[in-house]
Each structure stands twice: as C-alpha cells, then as structure tokens.
Amino acid sequence: MMVNRKVIMLTVTESCNLDCVYCYEGQKSQKNMDIEVAKNIITDAFVNSDDFEEIEFDFFGGEPTIQKETIMELVEWSFSQNFNKPFYFFLETNGTLVHGEFQDWLVKHKDHLYVGLSIDGTPETHNKNRSNSYEQIDIDFFAKNYPSQGARMTIGNDTVGNLFNDIMHLHKIGFSKVDAFFAFGVDWSSKTTKEKISREFRKLCDYYLSNPDVPENRLFDIDLAMLIDNDPVKKWCGSGVDIISVAVDGKIYPCHMFQPNSTNTPLQLDNIDFHSIKDFSDTSCSECMLEQICPNCYGMNYCISGDILRRERSLCDITKIRALAVSYLRAKQIEKGILNISPQETYQTIESIRKIQENFGYI
Amino acid sequence: MGDLKLSNIEIEKLANINKKLLKNYSKETLSSREYIGSERYEMTSSCKGCSGTCEKTCQGNCDGACFVQ
C-alpha cells in the first residue's frame, strides 16, 4: 500500500567536518538552525499537510550529526507532542561522529529515527572521495542496526574504475543492499572514463548472472519497458510538491538543491510553481529514447541554467551506459531463462533491448 | 569498447522470442502497460530518507536523481 508522504528536510547545520570531492554545496558555512525555528517548522508541518497521510522529517546538512544535541532534542520533543498523524525522522550521515552515547541514543529511537550511512566502498576509494574518513566510522554499528537501509555510495570520477570492487566490498562488510549513485555535476564524458565504466558494468553483469540470488544494485533499476511508453515525461522527484527543504534560517525551498548553500545562482523562486507544470520534458532531449528513464535534478538544472526544465547534462553518457548495461543483463537473463517476468514485460523488454543496442551499442 | 554490446546472433535470438510470443498473443496485448501493478513500486524502508525523491512520483525509479552525497 502506497503511503502519501510529505518529506520535510531540515538543514540543521551548513557545517561539515569532511570535504568530499564531489560535494555540490558551494557555500558551506558554520551556520546552524535554531532549535525554536526547527520546532516551529515541525509544528506547522502538521497544520499544513492535510493532503498527506504521514510526514518524514530528514535531518540534513552539512553533516547533521555536528548538531546531534539539536537532533536529540527535536526527536524527543516531537514524540512528547500529540501530533495528529504518523511521522518519523531520517538521518543521513557520514558516520564519523556517531559513537558512544549517541549510538546508544540512536538505538533507543530506531523505531522512529532511521539512519543511513554514506560510504563509498573500499578504504582506498572512500578515503580518496571522503577526506580519509573510513577509519573514523563504526561500520558495524550501521550494518547491524540498520540492515535494510543499505549503504549509500556516491561514485566519483577518480574512483569509478574500482566500482565493482567497491560494491563487493560493501556487501562483504555487512551491507546486503548498496545504493550507488553517480555524482551530478561531474564530467563523465571522456572516452577513457566511459570505457572504464563500461568495463565495471560488465563485471557487475557477469556477477549477477553467476549469482542470481543477489539483489541487483540500483544502478540496474531501470524499467526498460518504459522506453516504449509515449506518455509525457513524468516529474522525476517530489521537489516542491511532496518535498520541501528548510534552510538554517527557516526559509523554505523546493528541495535542498535550491538552498543558498547549494547554489550560486540568484534565486527567483517566486517564478517556480511545480504544481502547475504538466510536462517535465526538455525539448532538447525529445529525440532521445532514454528521456523517460533519465535522472533529472531540477535543482541542479536551476543551478546551472536558471531553468528547472533544462537538463543538466553531466549524466547523459552515464545514463546511456547504464541503459546499455541493463539491456545486456536482461538479454542474458532472458536467454538463460532466469528472468521471471510476464509475456507482456518480456515482449516490451526485448523491444527496448533491441532499440538500446541499436542506438547506444557504439558506447 | 563493446563490453556491453550484444552480438547480432544474440539480438536475433531475442527477436525470435518475440516472434513466438506474437503467435500466442496479439500485439496489442503484448504492448499493454496494464500488467504493471502498484505493488511493484511499494515503499520500502530504503525509501525512507531518500530525500528529495518520492516513490509516488518517481515510481521507485528515481535512481537518486535527488541525492544525498
């Protein structure tokens, strides 16, 4: 059963103790959210969320655990109030400040405060991307207490050649699920880089074919059958509708990417109404067969061009390689008879495989 | 390159699978999107905290378009 959920991101601090190579936050500061501002936002959320059945509050940063006292007070205060609908909290962290008594407190609250760890793979990869912080993380704590949450892995340009090993490493240290994402705003277009990525994807394909019981990484979570769908391009995320983010000063934005700490673009958000847009296509992408499945970050678009619908193109080649990899894997699975899908989905998947291989097989 | 390229023979094999399906079902039936049920996109625990992504709008296919790095 799908739950109609409102997501409210609380930027409890703009400060971060790391300096990750792919970080999009161009305006880091030491500013923190005042606790009373946060309480007012939470209270107002229950007044202004009639269309939603539950509310998720995300602690966001910077690195939110720098403000762990604020986090603890807000969670305990919230559950002492008689709010009128279900709610929970989520904390995404780099893990470096999660130790000792704070761990005990998190465990005590884990039924309504979910925690996700950002970790990029082997110590070598992680340290290169994330300020030599691997040894500062109590990895067992996260793997043991939040097993279904998985590891959140960001793929950077310098380490992409180790992608397969990085994913395997995270499985080995206890994360059954690894959510890997290519960093936005990075130049992935060189031939050498694309060759590396193709090779890593091929290793993953071979691994999944040999180990069909292992859940595939979300990099392979592309519904190929959607590619023969002629519907208008759907909105990619909940930005500005199901989601709002709140900056440290209490100002509200469509999502964190529109916040001043993320963008250098002068914001004229009065001109943006996500509710009124019916077609989220970018006319310059209309000839691309992958538009329906192509990740789209409206905030990043806005940062780059000032137009939320004009796609930021850094992931163009990545999306093509991913589609090609998924088409390769599904073809092999169909051939081996290990893809348990209906005749309709088989038919549509095969049609898409043929189109993808024809259009992007050169990559 | 070509690590992910299927051979012409492999493509032909796939085409033959679809030809067989077309003998048992109409093209209209095989092209229908109705087989996709909402259960496929149920919210999972990992959707929690997927800040900026919403399974209702992205149908579980968000792929980190909105990302926490």
PDB file of all heavy atoms in Angstrom, chain A residues 5 56 90 130 148 152 177 202 221 236-237 243 322 332 345 348 351 357, chain B residues 3 6 10 18 30 32 40 45-46 49 52 55 58 61-63 65 68-69:
ATOM      1  N   ARG A   5       3.094  10.583   1.453  1.00  0.00           N
ATOM      2  CA  ARG A   5       4.039  11.034   2.470  1.00  0.00           C
ATOM      3  C   ARG A   5       4.623  12.399   2.121  1.00  0.00           C
ATOM      4  O   ARG A   5       5.044  12.627   1.001  1.00  0.00           O
ATOM      5  CB  ARG A   5       5.162  10.005   2.564  1.00  0.00           C
ATOM      6  CG  ARG A   5       6.220  10.296   3.592  1.00  0.00           C
ATOM      7  CD  ARG A   5       7.203   9.140   3.636  1.00  0.00           C
ATOM      8  NE  ARG A   5       7.610   8.747   2.294  1.00  0.00           N
ATOM      9  CZ  ARG A   5       8.874   8.618   1.897  1.00  0.00           C
ATOM     10  NH1 ARG A   5       9.842   8.819   2.742  1.00  0.00           N
ATOM     11  NH2 ARG A   5       9.172   8.267   0.674  1.00  0.00           N
ATOM     12  N   GLU A  56       7.650  12.692   6.921  1.00  0.00           N
ATOM     13  CA  GLU A  56       9.042  12.320   7.210  1.00  0.00           C
ATOM     14  C   GLU A  56       9.852  13.600   7.380  1.00  0.00           C
ATOM     15  O   GLU A  56       9.807  14.487   6.524  1.00  0.00           O
ATOM     16  CB  GLU A  56       9.617  11.504   6.048  1.00  0.00           C
ATOM     17  CG  GLU A  56      11.119  11.277   6.157  1.00  0.00           C
ATOM     18  CD  GLU A  56      11.694  10.498   4.982  1.00  0.00           C
ATOM     19  OE1 GLU A  56      11.053   9.526   4.549  1.00  0.00           O
ATOM     20  OE2 GLU A  56      12.775  10.878   4.499  1.00  0.00           O
ATOM     21  N   PHE A  90      14.498  10.831   9.683  1.00  0.00           N
ATOM     22  CA  PHE A  90      15.585  10.156   8.981  1.00  0.00           C
ATOM     23  C   PHE A  90      16.843  11.005   9.089  1.00  0.00           C
ATOM     24  O   PHE A  90      16.792  12.235   9.030  1.00  0.00           O
ATOM     25  CB  PHE A  90      15.245   9.934   7.500  1.00  0.00           C
ATOM     26  CG  PHE A  90      16.346   9.211   6.774  1.00  0.00           C
ATOM     27  CD1 PHE A  90      16.415   7.835   6.820  1.00  0.00           C
ATOM     28  CD2 PHE A  90      17.326   9.913   6.086  1.00  0.00           C
ATOM     29  CE1 PHE A  90      17.450   7.160   6.190  1.00  0.00           C
ATOM     30  CE2 PHE A  90      18.358   9.249   5.447  1.00  0.00           C
ATOM     31  CZ  PHE A  90      18.420   7.868   5.494  1.00  0.00           C
ATOM     32  N   ARG A 130      36.268  10.878   0.347  1.00  0.00           N
ATOM     33  CA  ARG A 130      35.635  11.453   1.534  1.00  0.00           C
ATOM     34  C   ARG A 130      36.643  11.730   2.659  1.00  0.00           C
ATOM     35  O   ARG A 130      36.510  11.229   3.785  1.00  0.00           O
ATOM     36  CB  ARG A 130      34.507  10.522   2.021  1.00  0.00           C
ATOM     37  CG  ARG A 130      33.436  10.296   0.954  1.00  0.00           C
ATOM     38  CD  ARG A 130      32.313   9.386   1.422  1.00  0.00           C
ATOM     39  NE  ARG A 130      31.481   9.971   2.422  1.00  0.00           N
ATOM     40  CZ  ARG A 130      30.432  10.768   2.180  1.00  0.00           C
ATOM     41  NH1 ARG A 130      30.106  11.054   0.939  1.00  0.00           N
ATOM     42  NH2 ARG A 130      29.725  11.266   3.166  1.00  0.00           N
ATOM     43  N   SER A 148      18.401  -2.942   6.651  1.00  0.00           N
ATOM     44  CA  SER A 148      17.592  -2.762   5.440  1.00  0.00           C
ATOM     45  C   SER A 148      17.858  -1.402   4.791  1.00  0.00           C
ATOM     46  O   SER A 148      17.411  -1.138   3.679  1.00  0.00           O
ATOM     47  CB  SER A 148      16.105  -2.907   5.753  1.00  0.00           C
ATOM     48  OG  SER A 148      15.714  -1.895   6.645  1.00  0.00           O
ATOM     49  N   ARG A 152      24.863   3.954   1.285  1.00  0.00           N
ATOM     50  CA  ARG A 152      24.685   4.941   0.215  1.00  0.00           C
ATOM     51  C   ARG A 152      26.060   5.309  -0.334  1.00  0.00           C
ATOM     52  O   ARG A 152      26.886   5.874   0.372  1.00  0.00           O
ATOM     53  CB  ARG A 152      23.970   6.171   0.748  1.00  0.00           C
ATOM     54  CG  ARG A 152      23.538   7.088  -0.377  1.00  0.00           C
ATOM     55  CD  ARG A 152      22.690   8.216   0.144  1.00  0.00           C
ATOM     56  NE  ARG A 152      22.102   8.933  -0.968  1.00  0.00           N
ATOM     57  CZ  ARG A 152      20.900   8.695  -1.460  1.00  0.00           C
ATOM     58  NH1 ARG A 152      20.160   7.744  -0.972  1.00  0.00           N
ATOM     59  NH2 ARG A 152      20.438   9.403  -2.476  1.00  0.00           N
ATOM     60  N   LYS A 177      22.465  -4.465   0.861  1.00  0.00           N
ATOM     61  CA  LYS A 177      21.992  -3.580  -0.194  1.00  0.00           C
ATOM     62  C   LYS A 177      22.931  -2.379  -0.297  1.00  0.00           C
ATOM     63  O   LYS A 177      23.317  -1.801   0.714  1.00  0.00           O
ATOM     64  CB  LYS A 177      20.578  -3.099   0.137  1.00  0.00           C
ATOM     65  CG  LYS A 177      19.859  -2.431  -0.997  1.00  0.00           C
ATOM     66  CD  LYS A 177      18.377  -2.382  -0.718  1.00  0.00           C
ATOM     67  CE  LYS A 177      18.030  -1.415   0.390  1.00  0.00           C
ATOM     68  NZ  LYS A 177      18.271  -0.007   0.067  1.00  0.00           N
ATOM     69  N   ARG A 202      30.180  -4.318 -16.943  1.00  0.00           N
ATOM     70  CA  ARG A 202      30.238  -5.684 -17.466  1.00  0.00           C
ATOM     71  C   ARG A 202      30.580  -6.683 -16.351  1.00  0.00           C
ATOM     72  O   ARG A 202      29.995  -7.768 -16.265  1.00  0.00           O
ATOM     73  CB  ARG A 202      31.252  -5.769 -18.606  1.00  0.00           C
ATOM     74  CG  ARG A 202      31.476  -7.169 -19.142  1.00  0.00           C
ATOM     75  CD  ARG A 202      30.196  -7.820 -19.690  1.00  0.00           C
ATOM     76  NE  ARG A 202      30.446  -9.201 -20.004  1.00  0.00           N
ATOM     77  CZ  ARG A 202      30.842  -9.627 -21.202  1.00  0.00           C
ATOM     78  NH1 ARG A 202      30.980  -8.787 -22.212  1.00  0.00           N
ATOM     79  NH2 ARG A 202      31.064 -10.902 -21.409  1.00  0.00           N
ATOM     80  N   ASP A 221      18.437  -0.628 -11.792  1.00  0.00           N
ATOM     81  CA  ASP A 221      16.998  -0.480 -11.595  1.00  0.00           C
ATOM     82  C   ASP A 221      16.412   0.441 -12.665  1.00  0.00           C
ATOM     83  O   ASP A 221      16.014   1.572 -12.394  1.00  0.00           O
ATOM     84  CB  ASP A 221      16.742   0.067 -10.189  1.00  0.00           C
ATOM     85  CG  ASP A 221      15.269   0.047  -9.832  1.00  0.00           C
ATOM     86  OD1 ASP A 221      14.496  -0.565 -10.601  1.00  0.00           O
ATOM     87  OD2 ASP A 221      14.889   0.648  -8.826  1.00  0.00           O
ATOM     88  N   TRP A 236      10.239  13.833 -11.975  1.00  0.00           N
ATOM     89  CA  TRP A 236      11.191  12.829 -11.533  1.00  0.00           C
ATOM     90  C   TRP A 236      11.213  12.645 -10.015  1.00  0.00           C
ATOM     91  O   TRP A 236      11.442  11.560  -9.509  1.00  0.00           O
ATOM     92  CB  TRP A 236      12.590  13.188 -12.028  1.00  0.00           C
ATOM     93  CG  TRP A 236      13.528  12.069 -11.814  1.00  0.00           C
ATOM     94  CD1 TRP A 236      14.402  11.923 -10.781  1.00  0.00           C
ATOM     95  CD2 TRP A 236      13.660  10.898 -12.616  1.00  0.00           C
ATOM     96  NE1 TRP A 236      15.069  10.732 -10.908  1.00  0.00           N
ATOM     97  CE2 TRP A 236      14.627  10.084 -12.018  1.00  0.00           C
ATOM     98  CE3 TRP A 236      13.039  10.455 -13.801  1.00  0.00           C
ATOM     99  CZ2 TRP A 236      15.014   8.856 -12.539  1.00  0.00           C
ATOM    100  CZ3 TRP A 236      13.418   9.235 -14.323  1.00  0.00           C
ATOM    101  CH2 TRP A 236      14.389   8.446 -13.695  1.00  0.00           C
ATOM    102  N   CYS A 237      10.999  13.714  -9.302  1.00  0.00           N
ATOM    103  CA  CYS A 237      11.071  13.617  -7.837  1.00  0.00           C
ATOM    104  C   CYS A 237       9.988  14.497  -7.231  1.00  0.00           C
ATOM    105  O   CYS A 237       9.217  15.117  -7.936  1.00  0.00           O
ATOM    106  CB  CYS A 237      12.448  14.049  -7.332  1.00  0.00           C
ATOM    107  SG  CYS A 237      12.726  15.814  -7.533  1.00  0.00           S
ATOM    108  N   ILE A 243       7.856  17.425  -1.348  1.00  0.00           N
ATOM    109  CA  ILE A 243       9.072  17.688  -0.582  1.00  0.00           C
ATOM    110  C   ILE A 243       9.265  19.191  -0.434  1.00  0.00           C
ATOM    111  O   ILE A 243       9.035  19.943  -1.375  1.00  0.00           O
ATOM    112  CB  ILE A 243      10.293  17.111  -1.333  1.00  0.00           C
ATOM    113  CG1 ILE A 243      10.207  15.593  -1.352  1.00  0.00           C
ATOM    114  CG2 ILE A 243      11.611  17.566  -0.704  1.00  0.00           C
ATOM    115  CD1 ILE A 243      11.075  14.984  -2.400  1.00  0.00           C
ATOM    116  N   ARG A 322      24.384   2.961 -18.594  1.00  0.00           N
ATOM    117  CA  ARG A 322      23.534   2.169 -17.692  1.00  0.00           C
ATOM    118  C   ARG A 322      22.453   1.433 -18.471  1.00  0.00           C
ATOM    119  O   ARG A 322      22.197   0.256 -18.238  1.00  0.00           O
ATOM    120  CB  ARG A 322      22.869   3.074 -16.651  1.00  0.00           C
ATOM    121  CG  ARG A 322      23.803   3.512 -15.536  1.00  0.00           C
ATOM    122  CD  ARG A 322      23.028   4.309 -14.492  1.00  0.00           C
ATOM    123  NE  ARG A 322      21.924   3.546 -13.960  1.00  0.00           N
ATOM    124  CZ  ARG A 322      20.767   4.065 -13.565  1.00  0.00           C
ATOM    125  NH1 ARG A 322      20.580   5.370 -13.632  1.00  0.00           N
ATOM    126  NH2 ARG A 322      19.818   3.291 -13.097  1.00  0.00           N
ATOM    127  N   LYS A 332      20.763 -11.438 -21.404  1.00  0.00           N
ATOM    128  CA  LYS A 332      21.407 -12.671 -20.926  1.00  0.00           C
ATOM    129  C   LYS A 332      20.486 -13.441 -19.979  1.00  0.00           C
ATOM    130  O   LYS A 332      20.451 -14.666 -19.983  1.00  0.00           O
ATOM    131  CB  LYS A 332      22.727 -12.336 -20.212  1.00  0.00           C
ATOM    132  CG  LYS A 332      23.789 -11.718 -21.106  1.00  0.00           C
ATOM    133  CD  LYS A 332      24.324 -12.745 -22.080  1.00  0.00           C
ATOM    134  CE  LYS A 332      25.426 -12.184 -22.946  1.00  0.00           C
ATOM    135  NZ  LYS A 332      25.942 -13.151 -23.925  1.00  0.00           N
ATOM    136  N   GLU A 345       5.793  -8.141 -20.352  1.00  0.00           N
ATOM    137  CA  GLU A 345       7.027  -7.450 -19.979  1.00  0.00           C
ATOM    138  C   GLU A 345       8.209  -7.998 -20.778  1.00  0.00           C
ATOM    139  O   GLU A 345       9.127  -7.257 -21.145  1.00  0.00           O
ATOM    140  CB  GLU A 345       7.282  -7.568 -18.474  1.00  0.00           C
ATOM    141  CG  GLU A 345       8.325  -6.579 -18.000  1.00  0.00           C
ATOM    142  CD  GLU A 345       8.410  -6.446 -16.490  1.00  0.00           C
ATOM    143  OE1 GLU A 345       7.712  -7.181 -15.768  1.00  0.00           O
ATOM    144  OE2 GLU A 345       9.185  -5.604 -16.049  1.00  0.00           O
ATOM    145  N   GLN A 348       8.017  -6.355 -24.239  1.00  0.00           N
ATOM    146  CA  GLN A 348       8.406  -4.944 -24.226  1.00  0.00           C
ATOM    147  C   GLN A 348       9.882  -4.760 -23.868  1.00  0.00           C
ATOM    148  O   GLN A 348      10.562  -3.887 -24.412  1.00  0.00           O
ATOM    149  CB  GLN A 348       7.515  -4.183 -23.233  1.00  0.00           C
ATOM    150  CG  GLN A 348       6.068  -4.130 -23.703  1.00  0.00           C
ATOM    151  CD  GLN A 348       5.123  -3.541 -22.672  1.00  0.00           C
ATOM    152  OE1 GLN A 348       5.481  -2.652 -21.928  1.00  0.00           O
ATOM    153  NE2 GLN A 348       3.894  -4.053 -22.628  1.00  0.00           N
ATOM    154  N   GLU A 351      11.887  -5.533 -26.968  1.00  0.00           N
ATOM    155  CA  GLU A 351      11.822  -4.422 -27.925  1.00  0.00           C
ATOM    156  C   GLU A 351      12.765  -3.291 -27.506  1.00  0.00           C
ATOM    157  O   GLU A 351      13.466  -2.696 -28.332  1.00  0.00           O
ATOM    158  CB  GLU A 351      10.381  -3.890 -28.014  1.00  0.00           C
ATOM    159  CG  GLU A 351       9.412  -4.823 -28.727  1.00  0.00           C
ATOM    160  CD  GLU A 351       9.842  -5.117 -30.155  1.00  0.00           C
ATOM    161  OE1 GLU A 351       9.903  -4.177 -30.964  1.00  0.00           O
ATOM    162  OE2 GLU A 351      10.137  -6.294 -30.457  1.00  0.00           O
ATOM    163  N   GLN A 357      20.413  -1.338 -27.906  1.00  0.00           N
ATOM    164  CA  GLN A 357      21.641  -1.873 -28.515  1.00  0.00           C
ATOM    165  C   GLN A 357      21.895  -1.213 -29.878  1.00  0.00           C
ATOM    166  O   GLN A 357      23.035  -0.937 -30.240  1.00  0.00           O
ATOM    167  CB  GLN A 357      21.512  -3.397 -28.669  1.00  0.00           C
ATOM    168  CG  GLN A 357      21.607  -4.155 -27.353  1.00  0.00           C
ATOM    169  CD  GLN A 357      23.036  -4.265 -26.830  1.00  0.00           C
ATOM    170  OE1 GLN A 357      23.982  -4.361 -27.601  1.00  0.00           O
ATOM    171  NE2 GLN A 357      23.202  -4.242 -25.510  1.00  0.00           N
TER     172      GLN A 357
ATOM    173  N   ASP B   3      32.070  -3.861 -24.371  1.00  0.00           N
ATOM    174  CA  ASP B   3      31.869  -4.801 -23.264  1.00  0.00           C
ATOM    175  C   ASP B   3      30.398  -5.152 -23.062  1.00  0.00           C
ATOM    176  O   ASP B   3      30.072  -6.182 -22.510  1.00  0.00           O
ATOM    177  CB  ASP B   3      32.387  -4.183 -21.953  1.00  0.00           C
ATOM    178  CG  ASP B   3      33.871  -3.897 -22.013  1.00  0.00           C
ATOM    179  OD1 ASP B   3      34.638  -4.854 -21.962  1.00  0.00           O
ATOM    180  OD2 ASP B   3      34.236  -2.710 -22.133  1.00  0.00           O
ATOM    181  N   LEU B   6      25.676  -6.630 -27.469  1.00  0.00           N
ATOM    182  CA  LEU B   6      25.215  -7.976 -27.827  1.00  0.00           C
ATOM    183  C   LEU B   6      25.593  -8.254 -29.281  1.00  0.00           C
ATOM    184  O   LEU B   6      25.640  -7.345 -30.105  1.00  0.00           O
ATOM    185  CB  LEU B   6      23.698  -8.070 -27.657  1.00  0.00           C
ATOM    186  CG  LEU B   6      23.147  -7.904 -26.231  1.00  0.00           C
ATOM    187  CD1 LEU B   6      21.627  -7.732 -26.276  1.00  0.00           C
ATOM    188  CD2 LEU B   6      23.524  -9.092 -25.349  1.00  0.00           C
ATOM    189  N   GLU B  10      22.808 -12.865 -30.937  1.00  0.00           N
ATOM    190  CA  GLU B  10      22.033 -12.734 -29.686  1.00  0.00           C
ATOM    191  C   GLU B  10      20.790 -11.870 -29.907  1.00  0.00           C
ATOM    192  O   GLU B  10      19.705 -12.169 -29.385  1.00  0.00           O
ATOM    193  CB  GLU B  10      22.918 -12.132 -28.593  1.00  0.00           C
ATOM    194  CG  GLU B  10      23.958 -13.110 -28.061  1.00  0.00           C
ATOM    195  CD  GLU B  10      24.995 -12.451 -27.163  1.00  0.00           C
ATOM    196  OE1 GLU B  10      25.493 -11.356 -27.526  1.00  0.00           O
ATOM    197  OE2 GLU B  10      25.323 -13.021 -26.123  1.00  0.00           O
ATOM    198  N   ASN B  18      10.300 -12.895 -29.355  1.00  0.00           N
ATOM    199  CA  ASN B  18       9.126 -12.037 -29.543  1.00  0.00           C
ATOM    200  C   ASN B  18       8.227 -12.529 -30.673  1.00  0.00           C
ATOM    201  O   ASN B  18       7.002 -12.411 -30.603  1.00  0.00           O
ATOM    202  CB  ASN B  18       9.572 -10.587 -29.781  1.00  0.00           C
ATOM    203  CG  ASN B  18       9.664  -9.820 -28.469  1.00  0.00           C
ATOM    204  OD1 ASN B  18       9.499 -10.399 -27.395  1.00  0.00           O
ATOM    205  ND2 ASN B  18       9.943  -8.521 -28.543  1.00  0.00           N
ATOM    206  N   LEU B  30       0.394  -7.616 -25.926  1.00  0.00           N
ATOM    207  CA  LEU B  30       1.799  -7.615 -25.512  1.00  0.00           C
ATOM    208  C   LEU B  30       2.330  -6.202 -25.266  1.00  0.00           C
ATOM    209  O   LEU B  30       3.283  -6.020 -24.513  1.00  0.00           O
ATOM    210  CB  LEU B  30       2.666  -8.315 -26.562  1.00  0.00           C
ATOM    211  CG  LEU B  30       2.482  -9.831 -26.650  1.00  0.00           C
ATOM    212  CD1 LEU B  30       3.252 -10.395 -27.846  1.00  0.00           C
ATOM    213  CD2 LEU B  30       2.936 -10.527 -25.379  1.00  0.00           C
ATOM    214  N   SER B  32       0.543  -3.810 -23.945  1.00  0.00           N
ATOM    215  CA  SER B  32      -0.197  -3.158 -22.857  1.00  0.00           C
ATOM    216  C   SER B  32       0.705  -2.910 -21.659  1.00  0.00           C
ATOM    217  O   SER B  32       1.570  -3.710 -21.327  1.00  0.00           O
ATOM    218  CB  SER B  32      -1.375  -4.054 -22.449  1.00  0.00           C
ATOM    219  OG  SER B  32      -1.898  -3.598 -21.224  1.00  0.00           O
ATOM    220  N   ARG B  40       4.459  -3.253  -7.390  1.00  0.00           N
ATOM    221  CA  ARG B  40       5.834  -3.227  -7.853  1.00  0.00           C
ATOM    222  C   ARG B  40       6.608  -2.037  -7.283  1.00  0.00           C
ATOM    223  O   ARG B  40       7.818  -2.054  -7.152  1.00  0.00           O
ATOM    224  CB  ARG B  40       5.780  -3.129  -9.375  1.00  0.00           C
ATOM    225  CG  ARG B  40       7.111  -3.229 -10.026  1.00  0.00           C
ATOM    226  CD  ARG B  40       6.905  -3.261 -11.502  1.00  0.00           C
ATOM    227  NE  ARG B  40       8.216  -3.103 -12.079  1.00  0.00           N
ATOM    228  CZ  ARG B  40       8.535  -3.451 -13.285  1.00  0.00           C
ATOM    229  NH1 ARG B  40       7.639  -3.975 -14.059  1.00  0.00           N
ATOM    230  NH2 ARG B  40       9.738  -3.282 -13.725  1.00  0.00           N
ATOM    231  N   SER B  45      11.815   0.255   3.076  1.00  0.00           N
ATOM    232  CA  SER B  45      12.495   1.003   4.135  1.00  0.00           C
ATOM    233  C   SER B  45      13.554   1.921   3.547  1.00  0.00           C
ATOM    234  O   SER B  45      13.857   2.974   4.097  1.00  0.00           O
ATOM    235  CB  SER B  45      13.131   0.046   5.129  1.00  0.00           C
ATOM    236  OG  SER B  45      14.095  -0.742   4.490  1.00  0.00           O
ATOM    237  N   SER B  46      14.113   1.517   2.431  1.00  0.00           N
ATOM    238  CA  SER B  46      15.175   2.361   1.863  1.00  0.00           C
ATOM    239  C   SER B  46      14.623   3.638   1.257  1.00  0.00           C
ATOM    240  O   SER B  46      15.365   4.579   0.999  1.00  0.00           O
ATOM    241  CB  SER B  46      15.976   1.601   0.817  1.00  0.00           C
ATOM    242  OG  SER B  46      15.191   1.342  -0.306  1.00  0.00           O
ATOM    243  N   GLY B  49      14.142   8.463   3.935  1.00  0.00           N
ATOM    244  CA  GLY B  49      15.378   9.215   3.883  1.00  0.00           C
ATOM    245  C   GLY B  49      15.914   9.430   2.495  1.00  0.00           C
ATOM    246  O   GLY B  49      16.966  10.016   2.322  1.00  0.00           O
ATOM    247  N   GLY B  52      14.248  14.079  -1.183  1.00  0.00           N
ATOM    248  CA  GLY B  52      14.066  14.670  -2.495  1.00  0.00           C
ATOM    249  C   GLY B  52      13.446  13.715  -3.474  1.00  0.00           C
ATOM    250  O   GLY B  52      12.930  14.128  -4.503  1.00  0.00           O
ATOM    251  N   GLU B  55       8.521   8.117  -4.017  1.00  0.00           N
ATOM    252  CA  GLU B  55       8.116   6.933  -4.785  1.00  0.00           C
ATOM    253  C   GLU B  55       6.774   7.137  -5.479  1.00  0.00           C
ATOM    254  O   GLU B  55       6.438   6.462  -6.424  1.00  0.00           O
ATOM    255  CB  GLU B  55       8.099   5.682  -3.906  1.00  0.00           C
ATOM    256  CG  GLU B  55       6.933   5.554  -2.970  1.00  0.00           C
ATOM    257  CD  GLU B  55       7.005   6.529  -1.811  1.00  0.00           C
ATOM    258  OE1 GLU B  55       8.052   7.203  -1.626  1.00  0.00           O
ATOM    259  OE2 GLU B  55       6.005   6.648  -1.112  1.00  0.00           O
ATOM    260  N   CYS B  58       8.106   9.245  -8.604  1.00  0.00           N
ATOM    261  CA  CYS B  58       9.161   8.632  -9.420  1.00  0.00           C
ATOM    262  C   CYS B  58       8.889   7.152  -9.639  1.00  0.00           C
ATOM    263  O   CYS B  58       9.579   6.505 -10.403  1.00  0.00           O
ATOM    264  CB  CYS B  58      10.519   8.793  -8.754  1.00  0.00           C
ATOM    265  SG  CYS B  58      10.763   7.690  -7.365  1.00  0.00           S
ATOM    266  N   ASN B  61      11.620   4.589  -9.348  1.00  0.00           N
ATOM    267  CA  ASN B  61      12.632   4.563 -10.404  1.00  0.00           C
ATOM    268  C   ASN B  61      13.482   5.830 -10.346  1.00  0.00           C
ATOM    269  O   ASN B  61      14.055   6.239 -11.350  1.00  0.00           O
ATOM    270  CB  ASN B  61      11.908   4.493 -11.760  1.00  0.00           C
ATOM    271  CG  ASN B  61      12.775   3.861 -12.811  1.00  0.00           C
ATOM    272  OD1 ASN B  61      13.704   3.124 -12.502  1.00  0.00           O
ATOM    273  ND2 ASN B  61      12.469   4.155 -14.045  1.00  0.00           N
ATOM    274  N   CYS B  62      13.546   6.402  -9.176  1.00  0.00           N
ATOM    275  CA  CYS B  62      14.142   7.730  -9.069  1.00  0.00           C
ATOM    276  C   CYS B  62      15.650   7.721  -9.296  1.00  0.00           C
ATOM    277  O   CYS B  62      16.215   8.678  -9.795  1.00  0.00           O
ATOM    278  CB  CYS B  62      13.872   8.307  -7.697  1.00  0.00           C
ATOM    279  SG  CYS B  62      14.418   7.205  -6.386  1.00  0.00           S
ATOM    280  N   ASP B  63      16.283   6.617  -8.874  1.00  0.00           N
ATOM    281  CA  ASP B  63      17.692   6.475  -9.177  1.00  0.00           C
ATOM    282  C   ASP B  63      18.540   7.612  -8.608  1.00  0.00           C
ATOM    283  O   ASP B  63      19.520   8.046  -9.216  1.00  0.00           O
ATOM    284  CB  ASP B  63      17.862   6.402 -10.698  1.00  0.00           C
ATOM    285  CG  ASP B  63      19.305   6.136 -11.065  1.00  0.00           C
ATOM    286  OD1 ASP B  63      19.914   5.319 -10.394  1.00  0.00           O
ATOM    287  OD2 ASP B  63      19.790   6.767 -12.011  1.00  0.00           O
ATOM    288  N   ALA B  65      18.006  10.676  -8.371  1.00  0.00           N
ATOM    289  CA  ALA B  65      18.012  11.961  -9.066  1.00  0.00           C
ATOM    290  C   ALA B  65      18.153  13.077  -8.056  1.00  0.00           C
ATOM    291  O   ALA B  65      18.805  14.077  -8.292  1.00  0.00           O
ATOM    292  CB  ALA B  65      16.731  12.140  -9.869  1.00  0.00           C
ATOM    293  N   VAL B  68      21.698  12.486  -1.821  1.00  0.00           N
ATOM    294  CA  VAL B  68      22.395  12.918  -0.625  1.00  0.00           C
ATOM    295  C   VAL B  68      23.811  12.392  -0.738  1.00  0.00           C
ATOM    296  O   VAL B  68      24.025  11.208  -0.765  1.00  0.00           O
ATOM    297  CB  VAL B  68      21.746  12.338   0.646  1.00  0.00           C
ATOM    298  CG1 VAL B  68      22.497  12.808   1.870  1.00  0.00           C
ATOM    299  CG2 VAL B  68      20.301  12.747   0.725  1.00  0.00           C
ATOM    300  N   GLN B  69      24.726  13.267  -0.888  1.00  0.00           N
ATOM    301  CA  GLN B  69      26.093  12.803  -1.044  1.00  0.00           C
ATOM    302  C   GLN B  69      26.853  13.029   0.256  1.00  0.00           C
ATOM    303  O   GLN B  69      28.000  12.880   0.343  1.00  0.00           O
ATOM    304  CB  GLN B  69      26.761  13.526  -2.202  1.00  0.00           C
ATOM    305  CG  GLN B  69      26.140  13.143  -3.519  1.00  0.00           C
ATOM    306  CD  GLN B  69      26.663  13.942  -4.676  1.00  0.00           C
ATOM    307  OE1 GLN B  69      27.466  14.827  -4.521  1.00  0.00           O
ATOM    308  NE2 GLN B  69      26.174  13.624  -5.867  1.00  0.00           N
TER     309      GLN B  69
END
